[in-house]
Short mmCIF file of all heavy atoms in Angstrom, two decimals:
data_model
loop_
_atom_site.label_atom_id
_atom_site.label_comp_id
_atom_site.label_asym_id
_atom_site.label_seq_id
_atom_site.Cartn_x
_atom_site.Cartn_y
_atom_site.Cartn_z
N ALA A 64 103.37 114.95 106.50
CA ALA A 64 103.60 116.11 107.37
C ALA A 64 104.85 116.87 106.92
O ALA A 64 104.88 118.10 106.91
CB ALA A 64 103.73 115.67 108.83
N ALA A 65 105.88 116.11 106.53
CA ALA A 65 107.11 116.73 106.04
C ALA A 65 106.86 117.52 104.76
O ALA A 65 107.41 118.59 104.56
CB ALA A 65 108.18 115.68 105.80
N PHE A 66 106.01 116.98 103.89
CA PHE A 66 105.67 117.67 102.65
C PHE A 66 104.91 118.97 102.95
O PHE A 66 105.13 119.99 102.32
CB PHE A 66 104.83 116.76 101.76
CG PHE A 66 104.38 117.40 100.48
CD1 PHE A 66 105.27 117.55 99.43
CD2 PHE A 66 103.08 117.85 100.33
CE1 PHE A 66 104.87 118.15 98.25
CE2 PHE A 66 102.68 118.45 99.15
CZ PHE A 66 103.58 118.60 98.11
N LEU A 67 104.01 118.91 103.93
CA LEU A 67 103.19 120.07 104.26
C LEU A 67 104.00 121.16 104.93
O LEU A 67 103.83 122.34 104.63
CB LEU A 67 102.03 119.63 105.17
CG LEU A 67 101.05 120.71 105.58
CD1 LEU A 67 100.31 121.24 104.36
CD2 LEU A 67 100.07 120.16 106.60
N SER A 68 104.90 120.79 105.82
CA SER A 68 105.67 121.78 106.57
C SER A 68 107.09 121.27 106.81
O SER A 68 107.41 120.81 107.91
CB SER A 68 104.96 122.07 107.89
OG SER A 68 105.53 123.17 108.53
N PRO A 69 107.95 121.36 105.79
CA PRO A 69 109.29 120.77 105.89
C PRO A 69 110.21 121.43 106.91
O PRO A 69 111.19 120.83 107.33
CB PRO A 69 109.84 120.91 104.47
CG PRO A 69 109.05 122.00 103.84
CD PRO A 69 107.70 121.98 104.50
N GLY A 70 109.92 122.64 107.32
CA GLY A 70 110.80 123.34 108.25
C GLY A 70 110.62 122.95 109.70
O GLY A 70 111.37 123.39 110.57
N ARG A 71 109.63 122.14 109.99
CA ARG A 71 109.40 121.70 111.36
C ARG A 71 110.14 120.39 111.61
O ARG A 71 110.38 119.61 110.71
CB ARG A 71 107.91 121.51 111.61
CG ARG A 71 107.16 122.80 111.51
CD ARG A 71 105.72 122.60 111.80
NE ARG A 71 105.02 123.86 111.64
CZ ARG A 71 103.78 124.05 111.99
NH1 ARG A 71 103.08 123.06 112.51
NH2 ARG A 71 103.21 125.22 111.81
N GLY A 72 110.46 120.14 112.86
CA GLY A 72 111.27 118.98 113.17
C GLY A 72 110.54 117.82 113.82
O GLY A 72 111.11 116.74 113.97
N TRP A 73 109.28 118.00 114.23
CA TRP A 73 108.62 116.95 114.98
C TRP A 73 108.46 115.67 114.17
O TRP A 73 108.66 114.57 114.71
CB TRP A 73 107.27 117.44 115.48
CG TRP A 73 106.66 116.47 116.44
CD1 TRP A 73 105.59 115.67 116.22
CD2 TRP A 73 107.13 116.15 117.76
NE1 TRP A 73 105.35 114.89 117.32
CE2 TRP A 73 106.28 115.15 118.28
CE3 TRP A 73 108.19 116.59 118.53
CZ2 TRP A 73 106.47 114.62 119.54
CZ3 TRP A 73 108.37 116.05 119.79
CH2 TRP A 73 107.50 115.08 120.28
N HIS A 74 108.13 115.77 112.89
CA HIS A 74 107.96 114.56 112.08
C HIS A 74 109.28 113.80 111.93
O HIS A 74 109.29 112.58 111.91
CB HIS A 74 107.36 114.89 110.70
CG HIS A 74 108.18 115.82 109.89
ND1 HIS A 74 108.10 117.19 110.02
CD2 HIS A 74 109.11 115.59 108.95
CE1 HIS A 74 108.95 117.76 109.19
NE2 HIS A 74 109.57 116.81 108.52
N PHE A 75 110.40 114.53 111.88
CA PHE A 75 111.70 113.86 111.82
C PHE A 75 111.98 113.09 113.12
O PHE A 75 112.54 112.00 113.10
CB PHE A 75 112.83 114.85 111.56
CG PHE A 75 112.85 115.40 110.17
CD1 PHE A 75 112.84 116.76 109.96
CD2 PHE A 75 112.88 114.57 109.06
CE1 PHE A 75 112.86 117.29 108.67
CE2 PHE A 75 112.91 115.08 107.78
CZ PHE A 75 112.90 116.44 107.59
N ASN A 76 111.58 113.67 114.25
CA ASN A 76 111.75 112.99 115.51
C ASN A 76 110.93 111.69 115.55
O ASN A 76 111.40 110.67 116.04
CB ASN A 76 111.33 113.90 116.67
CG ASN A 76 111.59 113.27 118.00
OD1 ASN A 76 112.74 113.06 118.38
ND2 ASN A 76 110.54 112.95 118.73
N GLN A 77 109.72 111.74 115.01
CA GLN A 77 108.89 110.55 115.00
C GLN A 77 109.45 109.49 114.05
O GLN A 77 109.37 108.30 114.33
CB GLN A 77 107.45 110.91 114.62
CG GLN A 77 106.80 111.91 115.57
CD GLN A 77 106.88 111.48 117.03
OE1 GLN A 77 107.86 111.74 117.70
NE2 GLN A 77 105.86 110.81 117.49
N ILE A 78 110.03 109.91 112.95
CA ILE A 78 110.68 108.96 112.04
C ILE A 78 111.89 108.33 112.73
O ILE A 78 112.19 107.15 112.52
CB ILE A 78 111.08 109.64 110.71
CG1 ILE A 78 109.81 110.05 109.93
CG2 ILE A 78 111.94 108.73 109.86
CD1 ILE A 78 110.07 110.90 108.71
#
Side-chain angles (χ1 to χ4, degrees):
F66 178 77
L67 182 64
S68 190
R71 295 182 182 189
W73 189 251
H74 60 275
F75 289 125
N76 185 66
Q77 300 307 86
I78 293 172

